[in-house]
Amino acid sequence: MTLIILQIGNRLPPEVLDVSKQMHPLLWNFCILVAATIIGLLIKFISSRLLRIYSQRNNYSFFGSFITHLSWPIGYFIPLLVFKIMMPLMRMNKLYYGFLDRCVSILLIISFAILLTRAIRVLEDYVYHIYDLNKADNLKERKIRTQLKFLRKLVVAIIVFVTIALVLLSFESFRKLGTGLLTGVGIGGIIIGFAAQNSLGNLLAGMQLAFTQPIRIDDVLVVEGEWGRVEDITLTYVVLRIWDQRRLILPINYFIQKPFQNWTRISADIIGTVFIYMDYSIPLQALRAEFERLLSLTKLWDEKVQVLQLTDAKERTIEIRMLVSARNSSDAFDLRCYIRENMITYIQQNYPEGLPKIRTDYTDKFPQALPESSI
């Protein structure tokens, strides 16, 4: 690339070459810097303008996401790239030129790394648009999003690592240091492995979690006695949003080593249970008719399961179990509360004698009155 630019520089119009020779080197170099910046910003402005006009035609647009995530890094990358291309046209001491070239190369590497990480966001937006979570049965969407979320973080970590390595390798001293330390890589690797075995274990567990998927984004879990939804899965830990807006943070290998409940592993629909305890005198057929009527009046019920059974008979009460099904765990909780509240109200208003009671039998005769003579 440098040879090509030098050839282009030698083929510049004679007027331009004469002007460059008559100008002071600092002024000429400054003009090249300004020209490169203007050209880069102009290219960025034209491309972003065209993309912005096209993105306004639809609610979601790939180009709109492109502008949102890549506008800022492109604003630095393109001017740096143009300046890097035009640098061979500059006139300066080789020592200063080498230092400037190294600085520009490092900035170009960093800006390109930022550009790559932001480009992953564009891909993520596209996948999120295709696999929307706002539907009743979103099992496939949650599966794809969980894998994408983990892979994005893993790829970003790799990009950052490679960027740091390229920046360090651009210095000659670090290359020599790396050659000297090459013989100690084996011992150093063993030491680092022992020191970071928990972190590496979490990372490997995260990779296993992303592909075997015992949990996914937005799954409903019961962990450590807490009910909540999976809010985020990072490389080392999982964030569980509890029903009362608390956050439970768990190491990612917890879900590989310990048991937990996943209420949405196969599908989001679930069966809820309501227990009530009544007196033996309660009429079951009347309760069953009211139970079915209540279900027919609510949209929380998915019309799959409706069962009212007497499941136990104890000394003083009978146990009545009602099974109801719902599209997801949130609806199931609300449906259970709805059935429990309305069934108790119905019993209070129509069969108050059927509420649990304690019976006492006073059948023993009172002792006869003592004769007056004994008083």
Side-chain angles (χ1 to χ4, degrees), residues 1-6 25-26 28-29 32 81-106:
M1 177 64 72
T2 303
L3 293 175
I4 295 174
I5 297 298
L6 287 173
L26 290 178
W28 171 252
N29 295 337
I32 293 177
L81 180 61
V82 175
F83 181 64
K84 176 69 175 178
I85 294 174
M86 297 181 65
M87 275 188 62
L89 300 177
M90 301 178 72
R91 303 200 330 257
M92 63 175 62
N93 187 283
K94 291 185 178 180
L95 180 63
Y96 298 137
Y97 180 85
F99 175 76
L100 179 62
D101 182 65
R102 179 172 296 173
C103 291
V104 174
S105 298
I106 292 174

PDB file of all heavy atoms in Angstrom, residues 1-6 25-26 28-29 32 81-106:
ATOM      1  N   MET A   1       0.839  -1.203   0.000  1.00  0.00           N
ATOM      2  CA  MET A   1       0.000   0.000   0.000  1.00  0.00           C
ATOM      3  C   MET A   1       0.876   1.257   0.000  1.00  0.00           C
ATOM      4  O   MET A   1       0.596   2.234  -0.692  1.00  0.00           O
ATOM      5  CB  MET A   1      -0.917  -0.007   1.228  1.00  0.00           C
ATOM      6  CG  MET A   1      -1.780   1.253   1.360  1.00  0.00           C
ATOM      7  SD  MET A   1      -2.955   1.419  -0.007  1.00  0.00           S
ATOM      8  CE  MET A   1      -4.099   0.113   0.413  1.00  0.00           C
ATOM      9  N   THR A   2       1.951   1.226   0.813  1.00  0.00           N
ATOM     10  CA  THR A   2       2.842   2.395   0.879  1.00  0.00           C
ATOM     11  C   THR A   2       3.508   2.649  -0.457  1.00  0.00           C
ATOM     12  O   THR A   2       3.631   3.807  -0.906  1.00  0.00           O
ATOM     13  CB  THR A   2       3.909   2.179   1.970  1.00  0.00           C
ATOM     14  OG1 THR A   2       3.258   1.925   3.208  1.00  0.00           O
ATOM     15  CG2 THR A   2       4.803   3.399   2.102  1.00  0.00           C
ATOM     16  N   LEU A   3       3.955   1.562  -1.144  1.00  0.00           N
ATOM     17  CA  LEU A   3       4.589   1.728  -2.457  1.00  0.00           C
ATOM     18  C   LEU A   3       3.613   2.317  -3.460  1.00  0.00           C
ATOM     19  O   LEU A   3       3.970   3.173  -4.273  1.00  0.00           O
ATOM     20  CB  LEU A   3       5.111   0.374  -2.950  1.00  0.00           C
ATOM     21  CG  LEU A   3       6.280  -0.240  -2.131  1.00  0.00           C
ATOM     22  CD1 LEU A   3       6.620  -1.636  -2.661  1.00  0.00           C
ATOM     23  CD2 LEU A   3       7.508   0.674  -2.197  1.00  0.00           C
ATOM     24  N   ILE A   4       2.355   1.873  -3.398  1.00  0.00           N
ATOM     25  CA  ILE A   4       1.351   2.397  -4.326  1.00  0.00           C
ATOM     26  C   ILE A   4       1.147   3.887  -4.090  1.00  0.00           C
ATOM     27  O   ILE A   4       1.077   4.688  -5.029  1.00  0.00           O
ATOM     28  CB  ILE A   4       0.030   1.638  -4.162  1.00  0.00           C
ATOM     29  CG1 ILE A   4       0.211   0.174  -4.584  1.00  0.00           C
ATOM     30  CG2 ILE A   4      -1.084   2.278  -4.974  1.00  0.00           C
ATOM     31  CD1 ILE A   4      -0.996  -0.688  -4.316  1.00  0.00           C
ATOM     32  N   ILE A   5       1.049   4.288  -2.822  1.00  0.00           N
ATOM     33  CA  ILE A   5       0.846   5.704  -2.507  1.00  0.00           C
ATOM     34  C   ILE A   5       2.040   6.530  -2.934  1.00  0.00           C
ATOM     35  O   ILE A   5       1.905   7.654  -3.439  1.00  0.00           O
ATOM     36  CB  ILE A   5       0.582   5.877  -0.995  1.00  0.00           C
ATOM     37  CG1 ILE A   5      -0.696   5.148  -0.607  1.00  0.00           C
ATOM     38  CG2 ILE A   5       0.485   7.332  -0.609  1.00  0.00           C
ATOM     39  CD1 ILE A   5      -1.923   5.674  -1.305  1.00  0.00           C
ATOM     40  N   LEU A   6       3.258   5.974  -2.745  1.00  0.00           N
ATOM     41  CA  LEU A   6       4.456   6.703  -3.182  1.00  0.00           C
ATOM     42  C   LEU A   6       4.447   6.910  -4.690  1.00  0.00           C
ATOM     43  O   LEU A   6       4.823   7.976  -5.197  1.00  0.00           O
ATOM     44  CB  LEU A   6       5.710   5.936  -2.745  1.00  0.00           C
ATOM     45  CG  LEU A   6       6.034   5.993  -1.242  1.00  0.00           C
ATOM     46  CD1 LEU A   6       7.200   5.054  -0.918  1.00  0.00           C
ATOM     47  CD2 LEU A   6       6.373   7.423  -0.826  1.00  0.00           C
ATOM     48  N   PRO A  25       7.732  22.264   5.249  1.00  0.00           N
ATOM     49  CA  PRO A  25       7.287  20.891   5.520  1.00  0.00           C
ATOM     50  C   PRO A  25       6.172  20.801   6.565  1.00  0.00           C
ATOM     51  O   PRO A  25       5.235  20.016   6.424  1.00  0.00           O
ATOM     52  CB  PRO A  25       8.562  20.191   5.999  1.00  0.00           C
ATOM     53  CG  PRO A  25       9.672  20.954   5.349  1.00  0.00           C
ATOM     54  CD  PRO A  25       9.194  22.379   5.277  1.00  0.00           C
ATOM     55  N   LEU A  26       6.262  21.607   7.638  1.00  0.00           N
ATOM     56  CA  LEU A  26       5.219  21.554   8.666  1.00  0.00           C
ATOM     57  C   LEU A  26       3.870  21.991   8.113  1.00  0.00           C
ATOM     58  O   LEU A  26       2.831  21.379   8.405  1.00  0.00           O
ATOM     59  CB  LEU A  26       5.614  22.442   9.857  1.00  0.00           C
ATOM     60  CG  LEU A  26       6.786  21.927  10.720  1.00  0.00           C
ATOM     61  CD1 LEU A  26       7.104  22.936  11.825  1.00  0.00           C
ATOM     62  CD2 LEU A  26       6.447  20.569  11.325  1.00  0.00           C
ATOM     63  N   TRP A  28       2.961  21.895   4.933  1.00  0.00           N
ATOM     64  CA  TRP A  28       2.515  20.883   3.981  1.00  0.00           C
ATOM     65  C   TRP A  28       1.896  19.678   4.705  1.00  0.00           C
ATOM     66  O   TRP A  28       0.848  19.164   4.330  1.00  0.00           O
ATOM     67  CB  TRP A  28       3.696  20.452   3.110  1.00  0.00           C
ATOM     68  CG  TRP A  28       3.422  19.260   2.234  1.00  0.00           C
ATOM     69  CD1 TRP A  28       3.898  18.009   2.378  1.00  0.00           C
ATOM     70  CD2 TRP A  28       2.573  19.223   1.079  1.00  0.00           C
ATOM     71  NE1 TRP A  28       3.431  17.172   1.411  1.00  0.00           N
ATOM     72  CE2 TRP A  28       2.605  17.904   0.581  1.00  0.00           C
ATOM     73  CE3 TRP A  28       1.789  20.171   0.420  1.00  0.00           C
ATOM     74  CZ2 TRP A  28       1.898  17.503  -0.533  1.00  0.00           C
ATOM     75  CZ3 TRP A  28       1.085  19.773  -0.699  1.00  0.00           C
ATOM     76  CH2 TRP A  28       1.133  18.462  -1.158  1.00  0.00           C
ATOM     77  N   ASN A  29       2.578  19.241   5.758  1.00  0.00           N
ATOM     78  CA  ASN A  29       2.057  18.111   6.537  1.00  0.00           C
ATOM     79  C   ASN A  29       0.723  18.456   7.186  1.00  0.00           C
ATOM     80  O   ASN A  29      -0.183  17.617   7.256  1.00  0.00           O
ATOM     81  CB  ASN A  29       3.069  17.699   7.607  1.00  0.00           C
ATOM     82  CG  ASN A  29       4.362  17.165   7.001  1.00  0.00           C
ATOM     83  OD1 ASN A  29       4.376  16.701   5.854  1.00  0.00           O
ATOM     84  ND2 ASN A  29       5.448  17.227   7.754  1.00  0.00           N
ATOM     85  N   ILE A  32      -1.973  18.187   4.612  1.00  0.00           N
ATOM     86  CA  ILE A  32      -2.338  16.790   4.366  1.00  0.00           C
ATOM     87  C   ILE A  32      -3.240  16.264   5.478  1.00  0.00           C
ATOM     88  O   ILE A  32      -4.241  15.571   5.226  1.00  0.00           O
ATOM     89  CB  ILE A  32      -1.074  15.921   4.237  1.00  0.00           C
ATOM     90  CG1 ILE A  32      -0.302  16.306   2.957  1.00  0.00           C
ATOM     91  CG2 ILE A  32      -1.426  14.438   4.229  1.00  0.00           C
ATOM     92  CD1 ILE A  32       0.991  15.550   2.773  1.00  0.00           C
ATOM     93  N   LEU A  81      -8.183   6.210   8.697  1.00  0.00           N
ATOM     94  CA  LEU A  81      -7.797   5.374   7.568  1.00  0.00           C
ATOM     95  C   LEU A  81      -7.318   6.231   6.396  1.00  0.00           C
ATOM     96  O   LEU A  81      -6.285   5.922   5.764  1.00  0.00           O
ATOM     97  CB  LEU A  81      -8.991   4.518   7.140  1.00  0.00           C
ATOM     98  CG  LEU A  81      -8.761   3.574   5.954  1.00  0.00           C
ATOM     99  CD1 LEU A  81      -7.667   2.571   6.277  1.00  0.00           C
ATOM    100  CD2 LEU A  81     -10.052   2.863   5.572  1.00  0.00           C
ATOM    101  N   VAL A  82      -8.041   7.308   6.112  1.00  0.00           N
ATOM    102  CA  VAL A  82      -7.625   8.195   5.018  1.00  0.00           C
ATOM    103  C   VAL A  82      -6.277   8.840   5.334  1.00  0.00           C
ATOM    104  O   VAL A  82      -5.399   8.952   4.467  1.00  0.00           O
ATOM    105  CB  VAL A  82      -8.707   9.268   4.767  1.00  0.00           C
ATOM    106  CG1 VAL A  82      -8.226  10.273   3.727  1.00  0.00           C
ATOM    107  CG2 VAL A  82     -10.001   8.615   4.307  1.00  0.00           C
ATOM    108  N   PHE A  83      -6.095   9.265   6.575  1.00  0.00           N
ATOM    109  CA  PHE A  83      -4.808   9.864   6.966  1.00  0.00           C
ATOM    110  C   PHE A  83      -3.669   8.856   6.861  1.00  0.00           C
ATOM    111  O   PHE A  83      -2.557   9.193   6.432  1.00  0.00           O
ATOM    112  CB  PHE A  83      -4.914  10.403   8.391  1.00  0.00           C
ATOM    113  CG  PHE A  83      -3.655  11.058   8.868  1.00  0.00           C
ATOM    114  CD1 PHE A  83      -3.175  12.214   8.262  1.00  0.00           C
ATOM    115  CD2 PHE A  83      -2.933  10.523   9.920  1.00  0.00           C
ATOM    116  CE1 PHE A  83      -2.009  12.823   8.697  1.00  0.00           C
ATOM    117  CE2 PHE A  83      -1.766  11.124  10.365  1.00  0.00           C
ATOM    118  CZ  PHE A  83      -1.306  12.278   9.750  1.00  0.00           C
ATOM    119  N   LYS A  84      -3.942   7.591   7.238  1.00  0.00           N
ATOM    120  CA  LYS A  84      -2.931   6.544   7.116  1.00  0.00           C
ATOM    121  C   LYS A  84      -2.536   6.335   5.653  1.00  0.00           C
ATOM    122  O   LYS A  84      -1.352   6.124   5.344  1.00  0.00           O
ATOM    123  CB  LYS A  84      -3.493   5.247   7.707  1.00  0.00           C
ATOM    124  CG  LYS A  84      -2.591   4.033   7.570  1.00  0.00           C
ATOM    125  CD  LYS A  84      -1.373   4.143   8.437  1.00  0.00           C
ATOM    126  CE  LYS A  84      -0.549   2.852   8.378  1.00  0.00           C
ATOM    127  NZ  LYS A  84       0.685   2.933   9.181  1.00  0.00           N
ATOM    128  N   ILE A  85      -3.514   6.394   4.758  1.00  0.00           N
ATOM    129  CA  ILE A  85      -3.230   6.221   3.334  1.00  0.00           C
ATOM    130  C   ILE A  85      -2.422   7.395   2.788  1.00  0.00           C
ATOM    131  O   ILE A  85      -1.533   7.220   1.941  1.00  0.00           O
ATOM    132  CB  ILE A  85      -4.552   6.055   2.558  1.00  0.00           C
ATOM    133  CG1 ILE A  85      -5.249   4.746   2.970  1.00  0.00           C
ATOM    134  CG2 ILE A  85      -4.319   6.070   1.057  1.00  0.00           C
ATOM    135  CD1 ILE A  85      -6.613   4.555   2.366  1.00  0.00           C
ATOM    136  N   MET A  86      -2.706   8.605   3.285  1.00  0.00           N
ATOM    137  CA  MET A  86      -2.039   9.799   2.764  1.00  0.00           C
ATOM    138  C   MET A  86      -0.728  10.121   3.473  1.00  0.00           C
ATOM    139  O   MET A  86      -0.021  11.058   3.076  1.00  0.00           O
ATOM    140  CB  MET A  86      -2.985  10.997   2.885  1.00  0.00           C
ATOM    141  CG  MET A  86      -4.255  10.862   2.065  1.00  0.00           C
ATOM    142  SD  MET A  86      -5.333  12.307   2.194  1.00  0.00           S
ATOM    143  CE  MET A  86      -4.328  13.567   1.431  1.00  0.00           C
ATOM    144  N   MET A  87      -0.379   9.380   4.491  1.00  0.00           N
ATOM    145  CA  MET A  87       0.847   9.666   5.239  1.00  0.00           C
ATOM    146  C   MET A  87       2.119   9.615   4.397  1.00  0.00           C
ATOM    147  O   MET A  87       3.035  10.414   4.608  1.00  0.00           O
ATOM    148  CB  MET A  87       0.974   8.714   6.430  1.00  0.00           C
ATOM    149  CG  MET A  87       0.239   9.169   7.682  1.00  0.00           C
ATOM    150  SD  MET A  87       0.613   8.120   9.102  1.00  0.00           S
ATOM    151  CE  MET A  87       2.394   8.397   9.269  1.00  0.00           C
ATOM    152  N   PRO A  88       2.243   8.659   3.426  1.00  0.00           N
ATOM    153  CA  PRO A  88       3.474   8.650   2.613  1.00  0.00           C
ATOM    154  C   PRO A  88       3.710   9.951   1.842  1.00  0.00           C
ATOM    155  O   PRO A  88       4.836  10.191   1.386  1.00  0.00           O
ATOM    156  CB  PRO A  88       3.252   7.470   1.656  1.00  0.00           C
ATOM    157  CG  PRO A  88       2.334   6.568   2.390  1.00  0.00           C
ATOM    158  CD  PRO A  88       1.419   7.472   3.146  1.00  0.00           C
ATOM    159  N   LEU A  89       2.687  10.771   1.670  1.00  0.00           N
ATOM    160  CA  LEU A  89       2.869  12.046   0.970  1.00  0.00           C
ATOM    161  C   LEU A  89       3.486  13.109   1.859  1.00  0.00           C
ATOM    162  O   LEU A  89       3.864  14.183   1.362  1.00  0.00           O
ATOM    163  CB  LEU A  89       1.519  12.543   0.448  1.00  0.00           C
ATOM    164  CG  LEU A  89       0.786  11.617  -0.535  1.00  0.00           C
ATOM    165  CD1 LEU A  89      -0.563  12.210  -0.910  1.00  0.00           C
ATOM    166  CD2 LEU A  89       1.630  11.382  -1.788  1.00  0.00           C
ATOM    167  N   MET A  90       3.586  12.842   3.155  1.00  0.00           N
ATOM    168  CA  MET A  90       4.122  13.838   4.083  1.00  0.00           C
ATOM    169  C   MET A  90       5.642  13.896   3.997  1.00  0.00           C
ATOM    170  O   MET A  90       6.299  12.922   3.638  1.00  0.00           O
ATOM    171  CB  MET A  90       3.675  13.504   5.513  1.00  0.00           C
ATOM    172  CG  MET A  90       2.166  13.450   5.699  1.00  0.00           C
ATOM    173  SD  MET A  90       1.654  13.010   7.368  1.00  0.00           S
ATOM    174  CE  MET A  90       2.090  14.513   8.242  1.00  0.00           C
ATOM    175  N   ARG A  91       6.184  15.081   4.322  1.00  0.00           N
ATOM    176  CA  ARG A  91       7.643  15.294   4.320  1.00  0.00           C
ATOM    177  C   ARG A  91       8.090  15.583   5.742  1.00  0.00           C
ATOM    178  O   ARG A  91       7.758  16.612   6.318  1.00  0.00           O
ATOM    179  CB  ARG A  91       8.012  16.471   3.416  1.00  0.00           C
ATOM    180  CG  ARG A  91       7.533  16.306   1.994  1.00  0.00           C
ATOM    181  CD  ARG A  91       8.271  17.184   0.987  1.00  0.00           C
ATOM    182  NE  ARG A  91       8.778  18.439   1.509  1.00  0.00           N
ATOM    183  CZ  ARG A  91       8.216  19.626   1.293  1.00  0.00           C
ATOM    184  NH1 ARG A  91       7.091  19.714   0.607  1.00  0.00           N
ATOM    185  NH2 ARG A  91       8.765  20.723   1.768  1.00  0.00           N
ATOM    186  N   MET A  92       8.819  14.623   6.314  1.00  0.00           N
ATOM    187  CA  MET A  92       9.342  14.803   7.664  1.00  0.00           C
ATOM    188  C   MET A  92      10.484  13.839   7.903  1.00  0.00           C
ATOM    189  O   MET A  92      10.732  12.928   7.105  1.00  0.00           O
ATOM    190  CB  MET A  92       8.243  14.573   8.712  1.00  0.00           C
ATOM    191  CG  MET A  92       7.675  13.176   8.740  1.00  0.00           C
ATOM    192  SD  MET A  92       6.501  12.921  10.097  1.00  0.00           S
ATOM    193  CE  MET A  92       5.245  14.101   9.665  1.00  0.00           C
ATOM    194  N   ASN A  93      11.166  14.034   9.002  1.00  0.00           N
ATOM    195  CA  ASN A  93      12.279  13.177   9.388  1.00  0.00           C
ATOM    196  C   ASN A  93      11.778  11.756   9.609  1.00  0.00           C
ATOM    197  O   ASN A  93      10.681  11.534  10.082  1.00  0.00           O
ATOM    198  CB  ASN A  93      12.922  13.730  10.669  1.00  0.00           C
ATOM    199  CG  ASN A  93      14.192  12.967  11.025  1.00  0.00           C
ATOM    200  OD1 ASN A  93      14.125  11.860  11.532  1.00  0.00           O
ATOM    201  ND2 ASN A  93      15.338  13.587  10.753  1.00  0.00           N
ATOM    202  N   LYS A  94      12.604  10.761   9.222  1.00  0.00           N
ATOM    203  CA  LYS A  94      12.195   9.366   9.338  1.00  0.00           C
ATOM    204  C   LYS A  94      11.878   8.988  10.776  1.00  0.00           C
ATOM    205  O   LYS A  94      10.972   8.184  11.033  1.00  0.00           O
ATOM    206  CB  LYS A  94      13.296   8.449   8.791  1.00  0.00           C
ATOM    207  CG  LYS A  94      13.479   8.535   7.292  1.00  0.00           C
ATOM    208  CD  LYS A  94      14.507   7.513   6.827  1.00  0.00           C
ATOM    209  CE  LYS A  94      14.662   7.556   5.302  1.00  0.00           C
ATOM    210  NZ  LYS A  94      15.665   6.566   4.832  1.00  0.00           N
ATOM    211  N   LEU A  95      12.623   9.571  11.729  1.00  0.00           N
ATOM    212  CA  LEU A  95      12.371   9.261  13.130  1.00  0.00           C
ATOM    213  C   LEU A  95      10.981   9.727  13.550  1.00  0.00           C
ATOM    214  O   LEU A  95      10.213   8.974  14.158  1.00  0.00           O
ATOM    215  CB  LEU A  95      13.436   9.935  14.001  1.00  0.00           C
ATOM    216  CG  LEU A  95      13.311   9.704  15.519  1.00  0.00           C
ATOM    217  CD1 LEU A  95      13.475   8.222  15.840  1.00  0.00           C
ATOM    218  CD2 LEU A  95      14.371  10.526  16.261  1.00  0.00           C
ATOM    219  N   TYR A  96      10.637  10.971  13.189  1.00  0.00           N
ATOM    220  CA  TYR A  96       9.312  11.490  13.522  1.00  0.00           C
ATOM    221  C   TYR A  96       8.216  10.759  12.738  1.00  0.00           C
ATOM    222  O   TYR A  96       7.122  10.515  13.253  1.00  0.00           O
ATOM    223  CB  TYR A  96       9.239  12.991  13.230  1.00  0.00           C
ATOM    224  CG  TYR A  96      10.216  13.794  14.050  1.00  0.00           C
ATOM    225  CD1 TYR A  96      10.955  14.820  13.471  1.00  0.00           C
ATOM    226  CD2 TYR A  96      10.409  13.533  15.402  1.00  0.00           C
ATOM    227  CE1 TYR A  96      11.858  15.556  14.222  1.00  0.00           C
ATOM    228  CE2 TYR A  96      11.298  14.267  16.155  1.00  0.00           C
ATOM    229  CZ  TYR A  96      12.031  15.276  15.562  1.00  0.00           C
ATOM    230  OH  TYR A  96      12.912  15.993  16.309  1.00  0.00           O
ATOM    231  N   TYR A  97       8.548  10.443  11.486  1.00  0.00           N
ATOM    232  CA  TYR A  97       7.560   9.741  10.661  1.00  0.00           C
ATOM    233  C   TYR A  97       7.244   8.357  11.242  1.00  0.00           C
ATOM    234  O   TYR A  97       6.090   7.940  11.294  1.00  0.00           O
ATOM    235  CB  TYR A  97       8.080   9.593   9.237  1.00  0.00           C
ATOM    236  CG  TYR A  97       7.119   8.882   8.309  1.00  0.00           C
ATOM    237  CD1 TYR A  97       6.104   9.575   7.666  1.00  0.00           C
ATOM    238  CD2 TYR A  97       7.219   7.502   8.098  1.00  0.00           C
ATOM    239  CE1 TYR A  97       5.214   8.922   6.826  1.00  0.00           C
ATOM    240  CE2 TYR A  97       6.336   6.851   7.264  1.00  0.00           C
ATOM    241  CZ  TYR A  97       5.340   7.565   6.626  1.00  0.00           C
ATOM    242  OH  TYR A  97       4.465   6.910   5.806  1.00  0.00           O
ATOM    243  N   GLY A  98       8.284   7.635  11.699  1.00  0.00           N
ATOM    244  CA  GLY A  98       8.058   6.313  12.290  1.00  0.00           C
ATOM    245  C   GLY A  98       7.210   6.382  13.554  1.00  0.00           C
ATOM    246  O   GLY A  98       6.319   5.550  13.767  1.00  0.00           O
ATOM    247  N   PHE A  99       7.472   7.402  14.384  1.00  0.00           N
ATOM    248  CA  PHE A  99       6.685   7.564  15.610  1.00  0.00           C
ATOM    249  C   PHE A  99       5.224   7.888  15.284  1.00  0.00           C
ATOM    250  O   PHE A  99       4.303   7.303  15.864  1.00  0.00           O
ATOM    251  CB  PHE A  99       7.298   8.679  16.467  1.00  0.00           C
ATOM    252  CG  PHE A  99       6.496   9.001  17.695  1.00  0.00           C
ATOM    253  CD1 PHE A  99       6.514   8.166  18.801  1.00  0.00           C
ATOM    254  CD2 PHE A  99       5.699  10.145  17.727  1.00  0.00           C
ATOM    255  CE1 PHE A  99       5.758   8.455  19.923  1.00  0.00           C
ATOM    256  CE2 PHE A  99       4.940  10.435  18.846  1.00  0.00           C
ATOM    257  CZ  PHE A  99       4.972   9.589  19.948  1.00  0.00           C
ATOM    258  N   LEU A 100       5.032   8.816  14.316  1.00  0.00           N
ATOM    259  CA  LEU A 100       3.667   9.168  13.935  1.00  0.00           C
ATOM    260  C   LEU A 100       2.944   7.988  13.298  1.00  0.00           C
ATOM    261  O   LEU A 100       1.757   7.748  13.570  1.00  0.00           O
ATOM    262  CB  LEU A 100       3.698  10.353  12.969  1.00  0.00           C
ATOM    263  CG  LEU A 100       2.348  10.850  12.448  1.00  0.00           C
ATOM    264  CD1 LEU A 100       1.491  11.345  13.613  1.00  0.00           C
ATOM    265  CD2 LEU A 100       2.533  11.956  11.404  1.00  0.00           C
ATOM    266  N   ASP A 101       3.655   7.249  12.468  1.00  0.00           N
ATOM    267  CA  ASP A 101       3.049   6.097  11.810  1.00  0.00           C
ATOM    268  C   ASP A 101       2.616   5.055  12.832  1.00  0.00           C
ATOM    269  O   ASP A 101       1.533   4.456  12.712  1.00  0.00           O
ATOM    270  CB  ASP A 101       4.036   5.487  10.817  1.00  0.00           C
ATOM    271  CG  ASP A 101       3.436   4.315  10.060  1.00  0.00           C
ATOM    272  OD1 ASP A 101       2.478   4.522   9.298  1.00  0.00           O
ATOM    273  OD2 ASP A 101       3.914   3.174  10.268  1.00  0.00           O
ATOM    274  N   ARG A 102       3.431   4.842  13.866  1.00  0.00           N
ATOM    275  CA  ARG A 102       3.081   3.875  14.898  1.00  0.00           C
ATOM    276  C   ARG A 102       1.860   4.340  15.688  1.00  0.00           C
ATOM    277  O   ARG A 102       0.950   3.550  15.983  1.00  0.00           O
ATOM    278  CB  ARG A 102       4.263   3.659  15.839  1.00  0.00           C
ATOM    279  CG  ARG A 102       3.979   2.689  16.970  1.00  0.00           C
ATOM    280  CD  ARG A 102       5.232   2.364  17.748  1.00  0.00           C
ATOM    281  NE  ARG A 102       6.199   1.683  16.912  1.00  0.00           N
ATOM    282  CZ  ARG A 102       7.445   1.398  17.307  1.00  0.00           C
ATOM    283  NH1 ARG A 102       7.854   1.749  18.511  1.00  0.00           N
ATOM    284  NH2 ARG A 102       8.271   0.767  16.495  1.00  0.00           N
ATOM    285  N   CYS A 103       1.816   5.635  16.024  1.00  0.00           N
ATOM    286  CA  CYS A 103       0.671   6.160  16.771  1.00  0.00           C
ATOM    287  C   CYS A 103      -0.623   6.031  15.970  1.00  0.00           C
ATOM    288  O   CYS A 103      -1.666   5.608  16.506  1.00  0.00           O
ATOM    289  CB  CYS A 103       0.918   7.624  17.142  1.00  0.00           C
ATOM    290  SG  CYS A 103       2.223   7.864  18.364  1.00  0.00           S
ATOM    291  N   VAL A 104      -0.550   6.388  14.680  1.00  0.00           N
ATOM    292  CA  VAL A 104      -1.736   6.285  13.838  1.00  0.00           C
ATOM    293  C   VAL A 104      -2.157   4.823  13.689  1.00  0.00           C
ATOM    294  O   VAL A 104      -3.361   4.504  13.701  1.00  0.00           O
ATOM    295  CB  VAL A 104      -1.475   6.933  12.467  1.00  0.00           C
ATOM    296  CG1 VAL A 104      -2.647   6.693  11.526  1.00  0.00           C
ATOM    297  CG2 VAL A 104      -1.236   8.424  12.618  1.00  0.00           C
ATOM    298  N   SER A 105      -1.195   3.917  13.558  1.00  0.00           N
ATOM    299  CA  SER A 105      -1.520   2.494  13.426  1.00  0.00           C
ATOM    300  C   SER A 105      -2.217   1.972  14.679  1.00  0.00           C
ATOM    301  O   SER A 105      -3.190   1.214  14.589  1.00  0.00           O
ATOM    302  CB  SER A 105      -0.245   1.689  13.150  1.00  0.00           C
ATOM    303  OG  SER A 105       0.358   2.092  11.928  1.00  0.00           O
ATOM    304  N   ILE A 106      -1.721   2.385  15.852  1.00  0.00           N
ATOM    305  CA  ILE A 106      -2.342   1.945  17.102  1.00  0.00           C
ATOM    306  C   ILE A 106      -3.765   2.479  17.209  1.00  0.00           C
ATOM    307  O   ILE A 106      -4.709   1.757  17.567  1.00  0.00           O
ATOM    308  CB  ILE A 106      -1.495   2.386  18.310  1.00  0.00           C
ATOM    309  CG1 ILE A 106      -0.166   1.627  18.320  1.00  0.00           C
ATOM    310  CG2 ILE A 106      -2.250   2.177  19.617  1.00  0.00           C
ATOM    311  CD1 ILE A 106       0.795   2.089  19.392  1.00  0.00           C
TER     312      ILE A 106
END
